[in-house]
């Protein structure tokens, strides 16, 4: 069973706009992570937020976590064509492994 | 990706044949994972290892076995491949900051 679910499934924006993706999960977590996957490639770790944190920043990325609502959001500011990819949230519970959602497909139009 | 390699990158095999996929890391990390990725399902955990000869099942382990005789190598074996095992397989290692590093994947087709 999947722990995380991303919303929307697909998102298309113009270059320079901001992109927001949401993730909901079902059970208590130790941390939540976001990954990017370019077509035909492996996943790349973007950012990790722990259950006792509410917000983290990394460059143009901003992640929030609301454990009371069991949800997270990933904001990419000033998007670029190179940001076109699939984005996955993944949750880690107490078992030292990650459960992934089905991803959001982001298209940034130049 | 730096520190983790998968082989082969592509493989076509016939139903009923055994297949072994290899994952090699140079990072000396304790935890290693095998995932499969299918359209509509995201990534699903097959097996993982928390040390040499220490492995455990994931959510889709039926039809798969693993072995880890050395820290750097984690092997995934399909004892008798079926068409439902056609997928892209990813190996991953867990880093010291708890983020995972993924290999480039193995695209397996069972005909």
């Amino acid at each position: 069973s999947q722990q995380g679910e991303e919303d929307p499934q697909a998102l298309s924006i113009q270059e320079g706009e901001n992109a927001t993706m949401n993730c909901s999960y079902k059970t208590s977590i130790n941390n939540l992570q976001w990954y990017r996957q370019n077509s035909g490639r492996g996943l790349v770790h973007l950012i990790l937020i722990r259950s006792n944190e509410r917000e983290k920043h990394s460059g143009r990325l901003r992640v929030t976590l609301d454990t009371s609502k069991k949800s997270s959001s990933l904001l990419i500011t000033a998007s670029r064509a190179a940001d076109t990819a699939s984005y996955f949230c993944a949750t880690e519970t107490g078992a030292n492994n990650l459960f992934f959602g089905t991803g959001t497909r982001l298209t940034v139009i130049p | 990706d730096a520190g983790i390699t998968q082989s082969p990158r592509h493989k076509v095999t016939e139903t009923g044949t055994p297949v072994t996929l290899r994952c090699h890391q140079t990072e000396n990390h304790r935890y290693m994972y095998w995932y499969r990725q299918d359209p509509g399902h995201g990534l699903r955990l097959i097996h993982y290892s928390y040390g040499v000869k220490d492995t455990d099942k994931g959510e889709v382990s039926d039809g798969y076995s693993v072995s880890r005789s050395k820290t750097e190598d984690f092997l995934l074996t399909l004892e008798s491949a079926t068409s439902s095992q056609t997928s892209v397989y990813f190996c991953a290692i867990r880093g010291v900051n708890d983020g995972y590093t993924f290999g480039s994947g193995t695209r397996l087709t069972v005909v």
Side-chain angles (χ1 to χ4, degrees), chain A residues 1-2 31 33 35 37 40-45 48 50 88 92 95-103, chain B residues 1 9 31 33 35 37 40-43 45 48 59 90 94 97-105 107:
Chain A
S1 62
Q2 290 166 186
N31 64 69
Q33 305 181 28
Y35 289 80
Q37 184 180 35
R41 307 291 297 273
L43 281 77
V44 175
H45 181 255
L48 179 153
R50 300 193 186 277
F88 295 88
E92 184 171 71
N96 294 315
N97 55 60
L98 287 181
F99 291 92
F100 285 82
T102 53
Chain B
D1 291 277
R9 290 296 310 277
Y31 287 90
Y33 305 83
Y35 286 87
Q37 185 176 30
H41 289 279
L43 277 82
L45 181 66
Y48 69 100
E59 60 180 315
F90 288 99
R94 185 169 184 240
N97 62 355
D98 295 337
Y100 287 31
T101 299
F102 282 81
S104 298
R107 185 173 295 275

Side-chain angles (χ1 to χ4, degrees), chain B:
Chain B
D1 291 277
I4 182 168
T5 56
Q6 292 184 232
S7 60
R9 290 296 310 277
H10 302 272
K11 186 170 183 66
V12 179
T13 191
E14 293 185 349
T15 299
T17 60
V19 177
T20 295
L21 309 183
R22 180 178 184 246
C23 179
H24 178 78
Q25 63 149 328
T26 58
E27 307 291 325
N28 202 36
H29 287 305
R30 179 183 175 193
Y31 287 90
M32 298 184 74
Y33 305 83
W34 277 107
Y35 286 87
R36 61 178 288 175
Q37 185 176 30
D38 305 288
H41 289 279
L43 277 82
R44 291 180 291 174
L45 181 66
I46 305 171
H47 282 279
Y48 69 100
S49 171
Y50 47 96
V52 173
K53 297 185 180 178
D54 291 324
T55 65
D56 206 349
K57 296 178 179 180
E59 60 180 315
V60 289
S61 59
D62 287 348
Y64 302 94
S65 63
V66 290
S67 66
R68 193 167 178 201
S69 59
K70 298 184 291 185
T71 299
E72 57 266 36
D73 291 325
F74 191 32
L75 304 180
L76 176 70
T77 297
L78 291 65
E79 300 291 347
S80 178
T82 67
S83 58
S84 64
Q85 293 176 312
T86 292
S87 186
V88 181
Y89 291 86
F90 288 99
C91 177
I93 55 176
R94 185 169 184 240
V96 294
N97 62 355
D98 295 337
Y100 287 31
T101 299
F102 282 81
S104 298
T106 294
R107 185 173 295 275
L108 176 68
T109 303
V110 183
V111 298

